[in-house]
Amino acid sequence: MDYYRIAFYLFGALTVLAAVVVVWSRNLIHAGMGLLLTLFGVAGLYALAAADFLAVVQILVYVGGIVILLLFGIMLTQRIAGRAPRTGVVNRTVGALIATGLFVLFVMVIFSARFAELPWIAQGRMIDRESAPPVGSTVERLGQLLVGPYLLLFEVAALVLTVALIGAAYLARRSRQEGARPRRMIS
Amino acid sequence: MWLDTLALMPVLLLVVAGLLIIVLDSLDNDSPVLPWVALLGLLGALVLELNRLGGGGRFLFEGLLRVGGFSAYVNAVLLLGGIATVIFCRAYLPRIWHAHGEVYALVLFALVGMMVMAASYDLVLTFLGLETMSVALYVLTGLAREDVRANEAAMKYFLLGAFATGFVLYGLAFLYGTTGTTRLDLLPTRIPNTPLFWVGVGLLLVGFLFKIAAVPFHMWAPDAYQGAPTPIAGFMATASKAAAMSALLLLLGHGLGLVRPQWADVLAVVAALSMIVGNGAALMQGEVKRLLAYSGIAHVGYALVGIASASASGYAGALFYLLAYASAALGAFGVAALWEQRPDRQLPAEDLSGLGRRHPLLGALWVLFLLSLVGFPPLAGFMAKYAVFAAAVQAGKIWLVLIGVITSMISAYYYLRLCVLIWRPVEAHPLPSSGQLASGVLLLTSALLLWLGLWPSGVLELVGRFFEDSGLVLR
């Protein structure tokens, strides 16, 4: 077994097991830590797929930024820190049936897909064998694509973030003279 | 690239107007100027879109999206919805103490996302448009932050919507993994013979059907509409459905146009379920916005009949249906917004009694909107239903037409009940909010309904020209 495979299965196992912790843990801090590990495992998978820039961004933005913010949010909000989520589990049987069914379906179709025989992947493999250019850093190429052919996508993504920012600011700000009833301040 | 950007002027106008609103809002809080800025941007964009309605479509940004023709038509419908929404918001929001400037910016940004969806020939761009629209709508739904019902509505819509987004992304990954492209114009030649591809298509369908609130992915709609401010509910019921429906049409009609038999029956079943469940549940509703939500679910079913016919005339019928439904539903939600007066923002059906006696013109318009939703002959709703049913008969889906006709007759019961209710001899309260602009919009949409019903050939011909006989969106 080569090192690549070992690394792949290690990161894969890390991602899945940590995700299980996220879903099953009744303690929000544990769930947050699980999320951290899951996203780290995904970053590892990105790196193994030769998407080095994506892996770094995944660690910087998700692991380093968003999950840390999430954990701080949980810890600074004293009301929810040590408490289990109050929502119960409903529709246990139906949910389990649908989830299992989808899982089996996905596993079956993914294993039956035979990616190596798909036309576009077969073509890519042929080109690689002939010339095999060394894969360097992907940053430069990504940058060129983002301000070149995919400029519009880049701009629309910026708009999504702007909308999210405006929306979050609106929902989180202190109320002015709004609403039919005066709002009580949350201490 | 520069010329391509210029061709995106309608979208850019809305973005600039939205950003301007945010800046002006920070200088002068909730200034009364803001809706006018929004209207100016919307009208400018509408003029530009109507201007290129007749011409054929033109690809921009190396085939990433396409303006004119199909997208110009859908965008015109969306902008009509946007204009009506801004005007109703201006009349309605001050009364519930939520006349925030951000509302207008968010409506404009949501429209940008929708217009991108209607023009996009790349599923990644479609997804980004979908997210722009959805994020703005989540916030707009929860506008009344102090109201538990609004919180519940926004939370439900957000959680389920995020879940649907996951489905779209997962489907997109499968699609790209099996074909190596996300471009709709490249897809027809690359459809592989593997079940993974079709599971991907199925996941994408789930996401889109959720956004248009088709059965069985409709659960969120009644709660979300009930908790949202009424004009915003009208916006969600018309514009967001039109946008997602046109994106669905581009995906199925263009990207998967060559393998129609594979998806046509699935859509036919969804259409049938939507018509049955939507109309059936609407029979039992006592709250007007909930009722209109279920009626909207049923109308999505009727429009889907056109897409399920999988023919050029079916697609054209679906496009015509979107305009006819949008005009009638915008009017109905508009009247509901103007008449609603309870502090908890609910409008039980009994509250409508006496409306017609107090304000005969408003009552007459309300009747007109509802009759068009029923599909009563001289109105747009009738021609729209006729167009999609005729296409379904041609496609050999007689059973679907039978279900459509029977559910239409059932729907007449609850629509007519609302029509009769308003003429009861009851002393009604005066109109809580009004405005010449709002009345103008109501008159305009009713005129549109009459025009589309009496002289439909112009618009029907126009939408027919977007599709080649093969069904692919090519012109």
Side-chain angles (χ1 to χ4, degrees):
Chain A
M1 199 129 112
D2 53 304
Y3 293 120
Y4 181 90
R5 255 164 215 251
I6 296 173
F8 177 83
Y9 284 114
L10 271 180
F11 280 121
L14 179 69
T15 309
V16 173
L17 290 178
V20 169
V21 173
V22 177
V23 178
W24 279 17
S25 170
R26 301 292 286 174
N27 183 324
L28 279 177
I29 302 275
H30 292 177
M33 296 304 281
L35 197 60
L36 199 114
L37 283 178
T38 310
L39 294 171
F40 181 75
V42 173
L45 293 177
Y46 283 155
L48 288 176
D52 52 349
F53 181 67
L54 206 55
V56 172
V57 168
Q58 169 89 1
I59 290 183
L60 273 179
V61 174
Y62 282 97
V63 181
I66 289 175
V67 178
I68 298 297
L69 268 179
L70 198 81
L71 286 175
F72 266 113
I74 294 169
M75 287 188 280
L76 291 178
T77 318
Q78 50 177 342
R79 296 226 196 146
I80 57 173
R83 209 192 272 180
R86 273 193 294 175
T87 46
V89 184
V90 290
N91 284 341
R92 221 178 259 267
T93 345
V94 184
L97 274 179
I98 292 178
T100 323
L102 274 182
F103 180 74
V104 172
L105 177 74
F106 286 171
V107 168
M108 269 166 52
V109 293
I110 288 174
F111 275 97
S112 74
R114 291 198 303 274
F115 285 98
E117 289 168 26
L118 290 171
W120 76 288
I121 290 176
Q123 263 173 13
R125 284 155 71 100
M126 297 238 300
I127 295 166
D128 269 359
R129 243 175 253 148
E130 283 162 14
S131 52
V135 181
S137 160
T138 53
V139 181
E140 197 185 336
R141 183 96 186 97
L142 266 178
Q144 282 168 350
L145 285 175
L146 275 184
V147 293
Y150 298 121
L151 179 64
L152 187 67
L153 296 173
F154 187 64
E155 294 294 339
V156 179
L159 188 69
V160 178
L161 295 180
T162 311
V163 173
L165 197 67
I166 294 170
Y170 169 74
L171 289 178
R173 80 172 172 204
R174 194 178 296 185
S175 65
R176 300 194 291 253
Q177 70 305 342
E178 71 177 19
R181 290 161 286 145
R183 241 166 67 96
R184 268 186 305 136
M185 296 295 290
I186 296 164
S187 54
Chain B
M1 191 76 99
W2 165 236
L3 281 176
D4 285 6
T5 312
L6 216 57
L8 282 180
M9 195 46 91
V11 175
L12 291 180
L13 259 179
L14 295 191
V15 174
V16 169
L19 293 176
L20 195 64
I21 287 172
I22 294 293
V23 173
L24 288 178
D25 191 31
S26 66
L27 294 177
D28 179 13
N29 230 329
D30 304 340
S31 146
V33 181
L34 302 178
W36 291 103
V37 177
L39 275 181
L40 216 60
L42 287 167
L43 283 174
L46 183 64
V47 168
L48 288 175
E49 290 291 2
L50 288 178
N51 202 24
R52 58 185 182 198
L53 196 57
R58 190 155 69 83
F59 278 108
L60 302 179
F61 294 98
E62 299 170 26
L64 209 55
L65 82 173
R66 181 172 174 162
V67 295
F70 176 85
S71 86
Y73 173 83
V74 178
N75 286 353
V77 177
L78 297 175
L79 287 167
L80 182 77
I83 290 170
T85 305
V86 166
I87 289 174
F88 290 135
C89 277
R90 187 170 161 273
Y92 175 89
L93 292 181
R95 201 153 40 80
I96 61 163
W97 301 99
H98 278 289
H100 307 302
E102 293 94 333
V103 174
Y104 302 105
L106 286 172
V107 168
L108 290 186
F109 289 143
L111 272 170
V112 170
M114 296 174 192
M115 288 168 71
V116 164
M117 282 171 82
S120 161
Y121 269 64
D122 190 312
L123 286 172
V124 176
L125 187 59
T126 307
F127 172 73
L128 284 172
L130 187 75
E131 276 311 280
T132 312
M133 168 185 104
S134 304
V135 172
L137 287 181
Y138 299 148
V139 179
L140 288 172
T141 307
L143 201 65
R145 296 183 304 171
E146 73 290 336
D147 182 7
V148 180
R149 200 191 299 269
N151 292 345
E152 184 198 335
M155 201 64 189
K156 238 177 210 168
Y157 187 27
F158 170 66
L159 285 180
L160 290 176
F163 202 55
T165 296
F167 274 81
V168 171
L169 274 184
Y170 214 7
L172 209 52
F174 283 2
L175 221 65
Y176 182 76
T178 48
T179 61
T181 185
T182 51
R183 288 269 297 271
L184 291 181
D185 48 339
L186 299 179
L187 206 56
T189 54
R190 296 203 185 186
I191 293 170
N193 184 24
T194 160
L196 186 60
F197 174 79
W198 292 106
V199 171
V201 172
L203 291 174
L204 268 179
L205 274 186
V206 170
F208 282 121
L209 292 178
F210 173 87
K211 289 292 169 196
I212 60 174
V215 177
F217 311 107
H218 65 286
M219 305 288 189
W220 58 275
D223 290 328
Y225 292 8
Q226 204 180 2
T230 312
I232 300 296
F235 187 52
M236 285 156 73
T238 54
S240 78
K241 279 185 189 182
M245 190 78 92
S246 60
L248 187 68
L249 189 51
L250 281 177
L251 169 69
L252 293 176
H254 194 105
L256 302 172
L258 296 177
V259 284
R260 272 171 268 170
Q262 315 267 11
W263 50 259
D265 289 333
V266 177
L267 278 205
V269 171
V270 173
L273 284 176
S274 300
M275 291 187 287
I276 295 169
V277 174
N279 282 320
L283 282 176
M284 286 168 267
Q285 300 306 318
E287 210 268 346
V288 174
K289 281 183 279 180
R290 263 189 108 74
L291 186 144
L292 287 176
Y294 279 110
S295 123
I297 292 167
H299 282 284
V300 158
Y302 293 119
L304 280 179
V305 169
I307 300 184
S309 310
S311 64
S313 58
Y315 300 157
L319 280 190
F320 186 83
Y321 203 100
L322 288 183
L323 177 59
Y325 169 66
S327 317
L330 281 171
F333 273 105
V335 175
L338 294 183
W339 188 249
E340 181 193 308
Q341 51 122 32
R342 298 192 178 213
D344 64 350
R345 299 182 298 110
Q346 299 306 301
L347 183 62
E350 308 83 62
D351 278 19
L352 286 172
S353 41
L355 187 160
R357 287 184 175 254
R358 179 118 202 174
H359 299 279
L361 180 63
L362 195 67
L365 290 179
W366 171 253
V367 171
L368 192 80
F369 296 135
L370 291 191
L371 285 184
S372 180
L373 288 175
V374 182
F376 212 68
L379 294 168
F382 171 73
M383 279 319 297
K385 273 183 185 161
Y386 177 76
V388 291
F389 288 164
V393 169
Q394 268 173 18
K397 292 193 162 62
I398 311 280
W399 62 277
L400 201 56
V401 176
L402 270 179
I403 292 178
V405 172
I406 292 171
T407 52
S408 292
M409 287 193 285
I410 293 172
S411 78
Y413 171 74
Y414 62 82
Y415 287 126
L416 291 182
R417 196 181 46 152
L418 286 185
C419 286
V420 174
L421 203 61
I422 62 166
W423 304 103
R424 260 194 211 159
V426 180
E427 194 57 35
H429 59 81
L431 203 60
S433 55
S434 63
Q436 287 171 342
L437 271 181
S439 330
V441 170
L442 290 178
L443 283 173
L444 187 86
T445 46
S446 53
L448 202 60
L449 286 179
L450 279 171
W451 177 58
L452 288 175
L454 291 172
W455 297 281
S457 53
V459 177
L460 272 176
E461 231 167 72
L462 177 77
V463 291
R465 260 186 282 152
F466 300 148
F467 305 99
E468 275 192 346
D469 293 336
S470 62
L472 292 184
V473 190
L474 271 180
R475 291 179 207 162

